[in-house]
Amino acid sequence: MPYETILFDKAGPVVTITLNRPEALNAINPQMTSELHQALDQAEADAEVRAIVLTGAGRAFSAGYDIGRRPDGRSALDPAGSEVADFLKRWWTSDGDSARRLMHLWQLSKPVIAAVHGWVMGGGFWYSLACDITIAADDSVFAQPEVRHISNTTVLFAALAGWKAAHRYGLTGDHFDAAEALRLGIVNEVVPAAELMTRARALAERIARVPEPSVRLNKAVTCYGLLAMGLGAGMLMNIPLSNLAHASYNSERGDLLAAMQAGGLKAFLDARDGDFRPEPFGPKSRPPRP
């Protein structure tokens, strides 16, 4: 099956799915979302495939969901021209689909190993949390900076790292590095960037040596058990609260959108993040602008 925004490579028992919009730091747009989940289902349906590696092309795993301007010149964050009810409904649909897509990974019978590097932001960060195993390159930078333009975190962060850590980073949008991600328990291992794919594939091949029913059923023990314990309900509760966050337009977001209209996405990001520099952990941090 041909894809435009991802690469699908099958080698022996392992499929590698690569997010492939490197010019946009693999920002997740609707086409990539659709193709990614089609590719996951394609790998799931192939009896020869025993494990999936998910990674990103270029300088990033993913910079998160694409919030840039649409063909009409406006961002999805901009309610202009919409009825309040329509704006809320649009985000309700989007946020519901987002939660269900993350849970799609748990419903697969085959383990998904995230091999992350560079920017692991926003929605990209969420996918890294939802994967069964996450291996991080030592140049990885994690964050949810979207909270700074009124957006939401995910309950997955608190489930993995604890609510204190989730609040430390989910309420600020601050960056943190791979060592901090390992300390928090949201990655399994940190490796040199040059070794990332070799190490991820080696682990996938090691899993492939275990009998298929054992892998399938033991993944289900964990994932279905977590759902039964309430994590699935927590993900569903994310939907109405995410909906409210995304639809909470105020003058601060209005100023950011005005910056985007005047200078594009870079101007939006500079206006949003400038006062937060330098970031506490990110190796690509820089001093505040004068």
Side-chain angles (χ1 to χ4, degrees), residues 90-171:
R90 189 175 80 206
W91 277 112
W92 177 275
T93 301
S94 176
D95 289 324
D97 290 345
S98 177
R100 284 183 282 271
R101 282 192 293 264
L102 293 177
M103 289 190 284
H104 177 211
L105 274 67
W106 309 339
Q107 294 158 359
L108 300 174
S109 68
K110 298 165 186 182
V112 183
I113 301 170
V116 304
H117 70 285
W119 300 114
V120 190
M121 300 284 179
F125 175 59
W126 296 359
Y127 271 101
S128 79
L129 294 174
C131 287
D132 298 292
I133 297 168
T134 303
I135 300 176
D138 56 9
D139 66 353
S140 300
V141 183
F142 301 82
Q144 299 169 100
E146 66 270 25
V147 301
R148 299 171 182 172
H149 63 243
I150 314 178
S151 186
N152 59 284
T153 182
T154 172
V155 70
L156 277 180
F157 194 12
L160 285 169
W163 68 276
K164 299 280 189 179
H167 279 177
R168 165 64 186 86
Y169 295 106
L171 301 183

Side-chain angles (χ1 to χ4, degrees), residues 56-75:
R59 296 188 296 120
F61 175 67
S62 174
Y65 288 109
D66 195 336
I67 58 170
R69 287 181 287 183
R70 303 181 305 237
D72 64 4
R74 296 194 175 278
S75 168

Side-chain angles (χ1 to χ4, degrees), residues 3 22-23 39 49 64 132 136 151 159 188 190 192 195 212 231 260 270 288:
Y3 299 108
E23 74 288 349
V49 175
D132 298 292
S151 186
N188 296 81
V190 177
E195 299 177 16
E212 185 277 334
L231 187 54
M260 183 186 290
D270 283 344

Side-chain angles (χ1 to χ4, degrees), residues 237-267:
M237 191 64 221
N238 239 114
I239 297 170
L241 296 174
S242 299
N243 179 210
L244 288 172
H246 282 129
S248 291
Y249 179 91
N250 66 6
S251 61
E252 291 173 285
R253 187 192 286 177
D255 290 342
L256 294 174
L257 291 173
M260 183 186 290
Q261 288 288 340
L265 185 59
K266 183 179 185 303

Side-chain angles (χ1 to χ4, degrees), residues 13 40-52 105-113 132 207 212 215-216 219:
L40 290 168
D41 285 337
Q42 181 181 346
E44 173 75 357
D46 188 336
E48 295 177 350
V49 175
R50 298 294 313 285
I52 301 163
L105 274 67
W106 309 339
Q107 294 158 359
L108 300 174
S109 68
K110 298 165 186 182
V112 183
I113 301 170
D132 298 292
I207 291 170
E212 185 277 334
V215 173
R216 169 168 43 86
K219 173 173 175 171

